[in-house]
Amino acid sequence: MEIEYIGEHLTPGIIGNAFVVFAFGFALFSGISYFLGEKHEDESWKKMGRWFFRLHSISIAGIALSLFYIIFNHYFEYNYAYQHSSTDLPLRYMLSCFWEGQEGSFLLWLFWHAVIGNVLIRTARNWENSVMTVFAVVQVMLGSMLLGVYVLGIKIGSNPFLLLRENVDMMNIPLFQNPNYSSMIEGTGLNPLLQNYWMTIHPPTLFLGFASTLVPFSYAIASLWKKSYIEWLNPVLPWTFGGIMVLGTGVLMGGAWAYEALSFGGFWAWDPVENASLVPWLFLVAAGHLMLINRNKNEKPTSLITTYALTLLTFILILYSTYLTRSGILGKTSVHSFADGMPGQLILFLFLFIGLSVWMLFHRFREIPKSKEEEAFLSREFWMFIGSLVIVIAAFQITFTTSIPVVNAIFGTSLAPPINAIEHYNSWQIPFSIVVALMMALAQFLKYKKTTSESFLKNIWLSIALSPLVTVLIAIALKMQNVILIVLLFASVLAVTSNTAFFFNVLKGKIKNAGASISHVGFALILLGALLSAGLQQNISVNTSGIDIRMKGEKSNANLDNILLYEKDTLPMGPYLVSYSGKQRSGVNMMYEVRYIEKSNGQVNEFSLYPRIQLNKMMGNVPEPDTKHFWNRDLFTYVSYVNQDDLTGEKKEDYQVLDTFILSKGDTGIVAPYLMVLKGVSRDVDYEKHKLSETDIAVKAILEIDNMHGVKSTLEPILVIRENRLYHIKDQDEDLGIRFSLTSIDPEAGKLNLIYEKDKNKKEDFIIMKAVIFPFINVLWIGCIIMIFGIVLAVYNRLSNQIKL
């Protein structure tokens, strides 16, 4: 019998599903219209293409609004809201729910393509038909990812408006036999790692960067289609460097999020998902520089085919990274990839555009202009080409290692990913970084076509003279011994000094034309900051407690990397004295206060850090670091182990008798790990507080408890004589988990009997913590800002030049 469900909010889902169909259909009609408009050079088809794309854009907005409405109103009868949100989730993280899942992130990608497409409709001019045909085809493919329909038994896409009871993994549970089930369910919540403000701005920025790579790709395909092999470079350059800026910003935001929210101890871990966004950016950087070369060569381009290849590969690698992160193939090698996905559909998406790119290049290969002139050794285009080639080789190395699971799946091999990923990638990427830094340092002083050695040396000699001196001074001051790191230090310093000299000596301080120099300085500072902070990082959390924190039989370096801190205890740690002051729950976070005392120049500086554990019953608890920022270093800390039983904050009492004391005034007793002193006996008892009658005789013992760390508390157990019978009023210290009973008094001997009880559930609180000093990490963050500013300046300059033209 079909169940008539009550309480379900079906209207937003019906509206959202209608918009999904409209978005797919309008994108398809737009692509057909633009294609016919280009083929027949018919203005009416172009107008139809525009209107269909605008209707497609409105439909995308309708899907997004419908999904937001469902999430914000906690309609957990929808599978997406159930899996990615909960009623106790702070409002500021609701946006993160939208793009946490497969469907939401595809929708975000579609949205940015729609925004960019509408800008192109107004700016592409005679390129509109061909460029927007490619855009519309991509939107058709992405739109199909949201359909969630079956065609000949094959599922196409995953619908964001699927009801929970329609989910094949959920539909057979008894809950859905209840017509009012929707009032009984609660969402599983947002992944704890995503409950960070960076994750409200990092994904939209990153996906805007992904979307921006479609513009150069579309122009490249359009130019091959139209046989306009040089003309496309001028309109595509601002888009290319705009994409470099936005995608680079997204990648750097990911590093900042990892540094602030993750506990692996750094800003970059070479995680496969991180690499999947970095590699397309590297290809886009290389493609952008080759575009500059060919635009300046005009009728005699020298690397146009390579420019095409890199431009096309950039978008293809975006699709490949989508396959890596969404197909489930990286489920065992990445901490933040999707566990499962749509591998078949993603592979079809990927190979469609690989096939289109290869066919277009092959079909036009002989017609693409090629210069037979060899580039002069001392020319800007020669060294820009070499630098771009090095970037591409570095990107291929990252891609190959990241793709080991794919290689295993295709060829049936059993290649193992590197055990120490950071060490593996650094061993390859540091040499590449040295070469790139040297190219950035030298190429600016070279002119296009040819440069005389005298002119080159005249401009560069001061930087070449100063850089080794600065390098030596820094290496001595920081006690650097690794030769390869010292070489990287030299290359980075040279890139900073030479580009700074170029700005003042050649550009005469004209900031409008200095975008390239400023961005090069920023990138060099990123390399320098990464070298100083990661290469010279100092682990200071060596265990000085005297207690071995390794598991039985374990041979790890846990004692060299972590410190054991008991509550209220104080231990030396690096240049500090540290003490664990206790924990306190704040919302979903259990905060652990760690006090630091530092003596410097005769002054005592004190501060606290609050590494925390985010509590999540559905997905597991997640440690999050806390960092103290100084001008010349960061102190990065996180809790690596706590007693999981203490995370709830619930108090359970179960006292047991541990000892009996017979004491006189002034006597002491050990109630491990505390010291107890009998300060005296008193008749000054608060009868009203303890509800005693006037005929009762009450005596209290005054006990002082010393925790051995300078903190003392007082307990006052009471003995009551009522009608010749004895009664006991116990006194306890809940924080210490101890209590005492006064059982009898011997006035002649001046002694009294005390019973000591201990709460079996009260264990001495402790944490195991890791602390790392990252020296001069602000150089890296400053470099990020400078690089992005330089790229923005370069984009603005190129747009200004186009407007003048």
Side-chain angles (χ1 to χ4, degrees):
M1 182 181 295
E2 185 176 349
I3 300 173
E4 293 186 8
Y5 292 101
I6 59 176
E8 291 183 328
H9 303 84
L10 300 181
T11 302
I14 294 172
I15 294 173
N17 272 313
F19 277 126
V20 168
V21 175
F22 290 152
F24 178 80
F26 287 137
L28 181 61
F29 294 147
S30 177
I32 294 172
S33 300
Y34 271 124
F35 175 80
L36 294 175
E38 177 64 26
K39 183 177 181 179
H40 300 298
E41 298 182 0
D42 189 331
E43 194 70 19
S44 62
W45 282 113
K46 179 193 287 188
K47 291 180 179 179
M48 288 182 64
R50 287 177 179 174
W51 278 109
F52 280 130
F53 195 87
R54 286 165 179 158
L55 290 171
H56 162 76
S57 303
I58 293 172
S59 300
I60 294 296
I63 301 172
L65 290 173
S66 300
L67 190 57
F68 272 125
Y69 185 81
I70 289 170
I71 292 172
F72 283 137
N73 287 283
H74 306 302
Y75 294 161
F76 298 129
E77 58 266 38
Y78 289 93
N79 186 66
Y80 197 86
Y82 171 78
Q83 289 187 338
H84 303 293
S85 66
S86 60
T87 53
D88 61 352
L89 190 69
L91 182 63
R92 62 185 180 277
Y93 297 136
M94 285 294 177
L95 288 173
S96 298
C97 298
F98 178 82
W99 44 70
E100 183 195 19
Q102 291 259 25
E103 300 87 347
S105 56
F106 274 125
L107 181 54
L108 181 61
W109 199 357
L110 277 162
F111 171 79
W112 284 128
H113 276 169
V115 171
I116 294 172
N118 280 282
V119 174
L120 286 170
I121 287 174
R122 298 182 63 87
T123 60
R125 298 176 184 174
N126 60 319
W127 291 93
E128 182 182 344
N129 278 326
S130 51
V131 167
M132 290 305 297
T133 299
V134 180
F135 249 78
V137 171
V138 172
Q139 290 296 81
V140 169
M141 296 301 298
L142 285 176
S144 71
M145 299 293 179
L146 302 182
L147 288 176
V149 297
Y150 285 87
V151 178
L152 300 177
I154 300 174
K155 186 180 181 183
I156 307 297
S158 179
N159 192 293
F161 303 104
L162 180 74
L163 290 171
L164 187 62
R165 58 182 169 86
E166 295 173 340
N167 185 334
V168 293
D169 297 326
M170 304 284 287
M171 60 173 54
N172 293 321
I173 65 175
L175 173 68
F176 299 118
Q177 299 300 313
N178 189 326
N180 193 31
Y181 80 91
S182 62
S183 64
M184 306 175 184
I185 54 177
E186 168 63 38
T188 57
L190 182 67
N191 188 322
L193 292 175
L194 303 182
Q195 294 186 37
N196 181 280
Y197 69 92
W198 278 113
M199 296 312 291
T200 61
I201 56 177
H202 164 57
T205 306
L206 192 65
F207 273 92
L208 177 57
F210 288 167
S212 67
T213 64
L214 179 56
V215 181
F217 178 86
S218 299
Y219 268 99
I221 293 293
S223 71
L224 293 170
W225 184 4
K226 295 164 68 72
K227 300 182 181 181
S228 299
Y229 304 113
I230 302 296
E231 294 80 358
W232 69 290
L233 294 173
N234 198 53
V236 84
L237 265 171
W239 285 103
T240 301
F241 280 91
I244 291 172
M245 175 196 69
V246 177
L247 184 54
T249 302
V251 172
L252 294 172
M253 282 181 175
W257 162 69
Y259 184 68
E260 182 168 312
L262 300 185
S263 58
F264 63 75
F267 47 84
W268 195 262
W270 294 106
D271 181 89
V273 174
E274 293 174 338
N275 296 345
S277 58
L278 173 65
V279 168
W281 183 77
L282 292 174
F283 268 81
L284 190 61
V285 169
H289 283 78
L290 292 187
M291 289 177 189
L292 287 173
I293 294 173
N294 287 287
R295 191 202 61 166
N296 284 283
K297 295 293 287 186
N298 295 324
E299 293 83 9
K300 296 181 180 181
T302 56
S303 53
L304 195 53
I305 292 177
T306 308
T307 305
Y308 272 117
L310 295 184
T311 303
L312 297 173
L313 275 171
T314 298
F315 180 68
I316 289 172
L317 284 167
I318 291 290
L319 300 182
Y320 180 61
S321 71
T322 303
Y323 165 74
L324 286 178
T325 56
R326 297 167 187 273
S327 64
I329 200 164
L330 294 182
K332 295 182 179 180
T333 57
S334 173
V335 297
H336 56 316
S337 68
F338 291 96
D340 53 19
M342 300 170 281
Q345 198 171 345
L346 290 169
I347 290 173
L348 178 63
F349 192 4
L350 174 62
F351 277 94
L352 172 66
F353 287 96
I354 290 177
L356 175 64
S357 302
V358 171
W359 185 82
M360 292 296 290
L361 267 180
F362 179 79
H363 192 62
R364 303 295 193 204
F365 185 81
R366 293 184 179 179
E367 301 177 13
I368 297 174
K370 307 171 189 69
S371 175
K372 297 181 180 180
E373 296 181 6
E374 292 188 4
E375 302 293 349
F377 180 76
L378 286 180
S379 66
R380 181 177 294 188
E381 51 265 47
F382 176 82
W383 288 106
M384 285 176 67
F385 180 83
I386 296 298
S388 299
L389 186 63
V390 171
I391 291 174
V392 170
I393 295 172
F396 269 120
Q397 186 276 322
I398 298 171
T399 303
F400 176 78
T401 305
T402 304
S403 302
I404 286 178
V406 181
V407 174
N408 289 338
I410 294 174
F411 299 104
T413 55
S414 55
L415 298 174
I419 297 175
N420 188 329
I422 294 177
E423 183 178 317
H424 169 80
Y425 283 108
N426 286 350
S427 65
W428 283 91
Q429 295 302 315
I430 288 177
F432 290 134
S433 299
I434 291 171
V435 176
V436 170
L438 291 174
M439 296 299 101
M440 291 192 307
L442 303 177
Q444 285 282 77
F445 292 99
L446 297 172
K447 299 177 182 178
Y448 285 103
K449 296 183 180 181
K450 189 176 182 180
T451 308
T452 63
S453 56
E454 293 80 5
S455 172
F456 174 71
L457 292 174
K458 178 182 178 181
N459 290 319
I460 196 71
W461 75 267
L462 183 59
S463 298
I464 293 178
L466 285 176
S467 297
L469 177 61
V470 174
T471 302
V472 169
L473 291 175
I474 294 176
I476 292 174
L478 300 179
K479 300 179 181 179
M480 296 177 62
Q481 297 180 347
N482 188 308
V483 175
I484 191 71
L485 294 183
I486 294 174
V487 175
L488 178 59
L489 173 63
F490 167 73
S492 302
V493 170
L494 181 61
V496 172
T497 57
S498 64
N499 279 277
T500 303
F502 184 83
F503 173 69
F504 287 106
N505 297 335
V506 178
L507 298 178
K508 306 300 182 183
K510 296 179 180 178
I511 195 168
K512 180 183 177 182
N513 300 320
S517 297
I518 292 173
S519 60
H520 289 166
V521 168
F523 187 78
L525 288 175
I526 291 175
L527 292 179
L528 185 60
L531 165 64
L532 296 177
S533 59
L536 301 177
Q537 71 182 57
Q538 179 186 2
N539 177 58
I540 61 172
S541 51
V542 178
N543 187 20
T544 56
S545 68
I547 300 174
D548 193 343
I549 60 176
R550 294 177 298 179
M551 300 292 289
K552 187 175 181 180
E554 186 182 16
K555 296 182 180 180
S556 70
N557 293 325
N559 286 304
L560 298 178
D561 297 332
N562 300 270
I563 186 170
L564 171 65
L565 294 173
Y566 280 98
E567 188 173 8
K568 309 302 182 184
D569 202 2
T570 302
L571 291 174
M573 188 183 76
Y576 304 100
L577 291 175
V578 294
S579 63
Y580 167 43
S581 300
K583 62 178 180 289
Q584 182 177 3
R585 183 161 181 172
S586 175
V588 298
N589 292 311
M590 186 66 76
M591 316 289 290
Y592 297 85
E593 182 181 7
V594 181
R595 294 284 299 166
Y596 287 78
I597 301 174
E598 179 185 23
K599 294 182 179 179
S600 177
N601 299 323
Q603 294 183 339
V604 177
N605 300 318
E606 295 187 32
F607 60 89
S608 291
L609 288 178
Y610 296 88
R612 56 199 174 273
I613 290 182
Q614 189 180 136
L615 308 178
N616 191 302
K617 294 181 180 179
M618 301 296 295
M619 301 182 186
N621 302 321
V622 176
E624 294 188 3
D626 194 17
T627 304
K628 177 71 173 178
H629 303 286
F630 301 91
W631 73 270
N632 62 343
R633 70 191 187 280
D634 273 7
L635 175 59
F636 179 94
T637 65
Y638 65 92
V639 175
S640 52
Y641 180 84
V642 296
N643 184 357
Q644 296 292 320
D645 296 334
D646 294 338
L647 287 175
T648 61
E650 298 176 358
K651 293 184 178 180
K652 298 179 181 179
E653 293 183 353
D654 185 9
Y655 283 90
Q656 63 177 346
V657 176
L658 288 187
D659 206 348
T660 301
F661 295 96
I662 301 175
L663 303 175
S664 300
K665 182 179 179 180
D667 287 348
T668 61
I670 302 297
V671 288
Y674 315 114
L675 180 68
M676 181 264 292
V677 181
L678 176 59
K679 303 298 288 185
V681 180
S682 173
R683 294 284 305 272
D684 184 16
V685 176
D686 190 336
Y687 276 58
E688 183 178 350
K689 175 183 177 183
H690 297 290
K691 299 180 180 179
L692 301 176
S693 68
E694 295 181 356
T695 59
D696 292 336
I697 300 173
V699 180
K700 67 180 180 183
I702 302 174
L703 306 176
E704 184 179 82
I705 311 299
D706 189 341
N707 74 345
M708 311 297 285
H709 298 295
V711 178
K712 298 179 181 181
S713 59
T714 301
L715 294 181
E716 297 180 344
I718 300 171
L719 178 64
V720 179
I721 303 174
R722 179 181 297 169
E723 298 178 353
N724 297 321
R725 298 181 65 179
L726 298 178
Y727 297 91
H728 315 293
I729 300 177
K730 301 177 181 181
D731 197 8
Q732 67 188 45
D733 187 316
E734 292 182 358
D735 291 334
L736 300 181
I738 62 175
R739 71 183 180 189
F740 284 89
S741 303
L742 177 58
T743 58
S744 64
I745 298 176
D746 184 349
E748 294 182 2
K751 293 183 180 293
L752 50 78
N753 287 6
L754 293 166
I755 293 178
Y756 160 55
E757 295 175 88
K758 177 77 172 179
D759 184 358
K760 291 190 296 184
N761 294 314
K762 186 68 178 182
K763 300 175 183 178
E764 191 169 5
D765 195 13
F766 71 93
I767 61 172
I768 296 177
M769 185 187 74
K770 186 164 185 175
V772 181
I773 290 178
F774 288 101
F776 301 105
I777 194 171
N778 285 335
V779 174
L780 184 146
W781 304 125
I782 292 171
C784 294
I785 296 171
I786 292 175
M787 185 184 77
I788 298 303
F789 173 72
I791 300 174
V792 170
L793 196 61
V795 172
Y796 173 77
N797 190 32
R798 302 201 180 283
L799 285 174
S800 299
N801 292 337
Q802 282 194 18
I803 292 172
K804 290 178 181 178
L805 292 174

